[in-house]
């Protein structure tokens, strides 16, 4: 028997696909999904065979429409996407078997989430009997930017009253985050968040009622998937606790899993039951399970994305001594508070570092009113060069494990090149650094986005920056305990040097910074 | 003797002003500040007399420059802004006295924050002796969009390497938030945040080392200031505890104070000492003081702005029964969790409401798979009308005190008018409502901004929406306890009807929504 990893390929890179319930009505899911494939095929992103199935249509977007799977000439249809009312799903699965279908994505809702357990059980047993691996029902299915599989049935654009088109359901660019979600709505929201923040994904999977493929299968797949460096998992309940723990514990030895587990209170658990019919179980049990398996649990949505971003860009650490380099006294206190609350230490620098900073202060290489005890506050008189030199001293300090760079861009002496200077220094080290710039206008957004282009995750509040370092520290501790830290770091180093080569080249080819925004 | 409220007017609406240390060097604070006044005078925003003082310059921006305050012909200079090295400040204050100066803003640093306590004491005693009310030293001073007083010395624009100008220190539009800050850096960051989120301010005051005017004076002033509805206060330490408690307790009876108090941990307190020389004191004592005086304490920066926004737009409530109306199952669980964690209840609707929703479901006015137990999930089949009707039922329910509207815009049936429909229903009630839409791309930003234009604070995560309602509830409880709830609500009702009249008019004059973005 094929492994689940092999089987999953039928969802992500099928040689042939049929959309059952394909439609010409442009608001219908069956139209939107079929159109996704047609568009991706025309753009040479999707390369498989494509079939439209609907007894009431002749042609859809130039494709002949077949009344049923069996009426197609295909000997084999590897993946079937089902968008018909729930009651028709069993017969379609039976028919799919005749076309040697290996995988089905059941988009349709109307199963256990509304109390229709019998129908769900029937579908489940047919799929099992016929050997069809199934995603859903009541899900969004798959979006894979590499292969063009895209079963998201939400309209990509909406036309406003004034006639302007706006992107309603954006697809993020290609990247290294794998997004796995039990909730379709939260899944779409994630795509919108990641696209807006310019973070890329490797694959997106919404599994809904999971009669077959569940979170653990997906973890297993993404563990082996070289396109994925970080796994983002939204869950309302774990299906099979023991198996989850076994697999998750293996995955986290090689790549981080960041989980957002909702239903943690009585009110939340009650809401979860009426949503996907999930029984949430005790939150303490979940906490213990995540801790034991090295799964990083986010406290809320912002943390979920913020932590994932930290893992995407930076290495973990198993030391908790943090240095803060800043030009902003108040915000550095806020960061210090959050560090302590999350188990990090604002560590005194070594004697050597203090001497060096003192010397720099004496000869005017940093401002004469600079505070050189940690947080190192270069004050509003800072320049880009001063930040560069100070960050170097701090990285060089063997007492320091991680750096929070809190350089607000507003001060007069700071030109935009401070981002590149800090990034350039940080690349020579394998210690994590995160940055923070506060503000929501153009330049603040630009500075944060520039940091991330150069591999430093950037946050809009001091507390979020501290939170990110805490996550890198907790994961580093776990890796160390499992004796996997060195292997992980080595892999990180290799991946980073690849990325940096490309980035350095792109920098040297461009004169200005703004043009690279 | 004049009250502090009268005296403060010299800072915000001075008839004459001198910038001591005005400069022609465009990177210098003395240039930037003087230019602010010149620009605002030319634009007819600032209407006072304006003097440049600097012994080494003849003209600055077309203004004659005087070697000292005494060489000007003015009989009186109401406000003096001082931007010279610390050691010259005492003699300037003495000279200012001869010009009957009522107020001084000392921008200069180099006082207690670097251990120069003697000089600070000297300045303090001169100001006291000469009867000059003083802001600072080591501060940014004042920005008042109404009168054009603007002592922010940070460059408003920066020119990038490619020659493009970017706004580095944005000024928010006029509005109802008063921003009071001990940290200059956090102050500038706040302006950037508020400008980017299109939230307006009434006044901005950074008080730095506060040898005279402190947070309590400012609270007293803003209590009486009709242009300010919400007071945002960033603090590292309270100067005079008893007086603060006395005044804050009075202010909160008529308008909310939202505080971000940093230095809450040992690490944070240590950082605060080296920043403004403040001894933070026990955090528990602060918590108790804030609770007793009805000051709302924000847990972190995002909460600080998020809570303030809630007070700006919505009324408080003293009931904790919340209804969630949504099209997004997963996110509604996240909101339910956060509600419970913050002391709110996801309350069952009344029998009448349930009957009505059931009937609506039967006749197809809401989707047949909608879940009508709270959270009320209209699923991905929702339309704008369905949201409108459901929100009306929920507002009408006497068991419900507050509403979280969690309508993700991505679903096919939702057109942008859902925002206007929901806002329109909510205006007929005096119960608070907040909204959430998740996403960071154009349409999500547009939807959130549209909600806020129509008076509904809008958040980018379910947890933040719950946090906002919790703050409105806690403040409502406090007002109720102090027997001030009804008066507050009446005042809110009057202010809102004014705003709504203007808004309704602007809506009726415009056809599309996008054009009103």
């Amino acid at each position: 028997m094929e492994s689940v990893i092999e089987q999953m390929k039928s969802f992500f890179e099928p040689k042939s696909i049929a959309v059952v319930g394909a439609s010409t009505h442009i608001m219908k899911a069956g139209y939107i999904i079929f159109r996704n494939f047609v568009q991706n095929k025309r753009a040479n992103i999707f390369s498989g065979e494509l079939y439209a199935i609907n007894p009431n249509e002749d042609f859809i977007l130039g494709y002949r429409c077949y009344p049923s799977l069996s009426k197609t000439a295909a000997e084999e249809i590897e993946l079937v996407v089902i968008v018909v009312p729930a009651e028709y799903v069993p017969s379609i699965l039976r028919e799919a078997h005749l076309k040697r279908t290996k995988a089905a994505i059941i988009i349709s809702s109307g199963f256990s989430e509304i109390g229709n357990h019998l129908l769900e059980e029937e579908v489940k047993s047919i799929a099992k009997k016929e050997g069809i691996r199934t995603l859903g029902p009541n899900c969004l299915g798959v979006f894979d930017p590499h292969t063009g599989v895209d079963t998201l049935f939400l309209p990509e654009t909406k036309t406003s009253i004034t006639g302007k088109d706006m992107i309603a359901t954006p697809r993020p660019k290609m990247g290294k985050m794998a997004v796995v979600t039990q909730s379709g709505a939260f899944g779409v929201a994630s795509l919108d968040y990641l696209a807006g923040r310019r973070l890329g994904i490797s694959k997106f999977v919404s599994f809904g009622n999971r009669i077959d493929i569940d979170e653990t299968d997906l973890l297993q797949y993404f563990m082996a998937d070289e396109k994925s460096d970080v796994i983002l998992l939204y869950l309302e309940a774990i299906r099979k606790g023991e198996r989850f723990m076994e697999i998750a514990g293996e995955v986290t030895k090689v790549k981080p899993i960041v989980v957002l587990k909702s239903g943690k209170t009585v009110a939340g658990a009650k809401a979860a039951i009426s949503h996907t019919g999930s029984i949430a179980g005790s939150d303490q049990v979940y906490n213990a399970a995540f801790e034991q398996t090295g799964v990083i649990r986010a406290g809320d949505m912002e943390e979920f994305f913020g932590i994932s971003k930290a893992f995407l860009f930076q290495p973990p650490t198993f030391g908790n001594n943090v240095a803060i380099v800043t030009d902003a006294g108040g915000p550095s206190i806020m960061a210090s508070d959050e560090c302590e609350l999350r188990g990090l230490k604002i560590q005194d620098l070594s004697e050597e570092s203090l001497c060096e900073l003192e010397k720099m202060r004496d000869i005017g290489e940093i401002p004469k009113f600079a505070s050189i005890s940690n947080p190192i506050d270069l004050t509003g008189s800072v320049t880009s060069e001063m930040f560069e030199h100070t960050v170097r001293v701090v990285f060089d300090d063997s007492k320091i494990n991680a750096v929070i760079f809190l350089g607000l861009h507003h001060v007069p002496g700071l030109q935009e090149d401070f981002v590149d200077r800090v990034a350039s220094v940080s690349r020579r080290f394998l210690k994590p650094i995160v940055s923070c710039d506060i503000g929501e206008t153009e330049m603040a957004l630009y500075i944060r986005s520039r940091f991330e282009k150069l591999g430093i995750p950037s946050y809009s509040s001091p507390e979020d920056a501290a939170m990110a370092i805490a996550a890198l520290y907790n994961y580093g501790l776990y890796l160390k305990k499992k004796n996997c830290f060195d292997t992980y770091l080595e892999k990180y180093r290799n991946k980073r040097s690849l990325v940096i080569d490309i980035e350095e080249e792109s920098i040297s080819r461009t004169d200005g910074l703004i043009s690279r925004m």
Side-chain angles (χ1 to χ4, degrees), chain A residues 19-22 29-30 53-55 81-92 105-111:
Chain A
V19 178
V20 183
I53 312 293
N54 187 336
V81 182
I82 305 175
V83 224
V84 295
E87 61 265 37
Y88 302 116
V89 175
S91 63
I92 287 160
I105 301 176
I106 308 175
I107 306 291
S108 321
S109 56
F111 294 88

Side-chain angles (χ1 to χ4, degrees), chain A residues 173 196-198 409 416 419-420 437 439-454 503 506-507 510-517:
Chain A
K173 62 180 182 178
R197 294 287 170 92
R198 295 175 202 185
H409 71 271
E416 38 174 316
V419 178
D420 292 61
D437 189 13
E440 297 295 322
T441 58
E442 186 189 10
M443 190 157 176
L445 301 180
Y446 166 66
I447 295 288
R448 291 202 290 271
S449 122
R450 178 79 197 142
F451 265 117
E452 297 197 344
K453 272 211 166 168
L454 298 179
E503 190 61 49
S506 90
I507 292 173
T510 324
D511 296 316
L513 287 175
I514 302 282
S515 61
R516 278 177 272 145
M517 197 169 160

Side-chain angles (χ1 to χ4, degrees), chain A residues 205-219:
Chain A
V205 185
S206 146
F207 58 77
N209 297 8
R210 56 179 169 189
I211 55 168
D212 176 21
I213 301 288
D214 64 14
E215 61 281 3
T216 308
D217 297 318
L218 290 160
L219 290 182

Side-chain angles (χ1 to χ4, degrees), chain A residues 371-412:
Chain A
S371 167
I372 60 175
S373 69
N374 197 1
I376 300 140
D377 183 357
L378 302 187
T379 79
S381 307
V382 75
T383 64
S384 300
E385 289 82 358
M386 292 174 182
F387 263 148
E388 179 183 357
H389 297 327
T390 307
V391 167
R392 185 189 45 74
V393 172
V394 160
F395 263 115
D396 252 336
D397 192 325
S398 59
K399 281 177 81 181
I400 296 301
N401 307 113
V403 178
I404 294 178
F405 179 74
L406 220 166
L408 301 197
H409 71 271
H410 309 90
V411 303

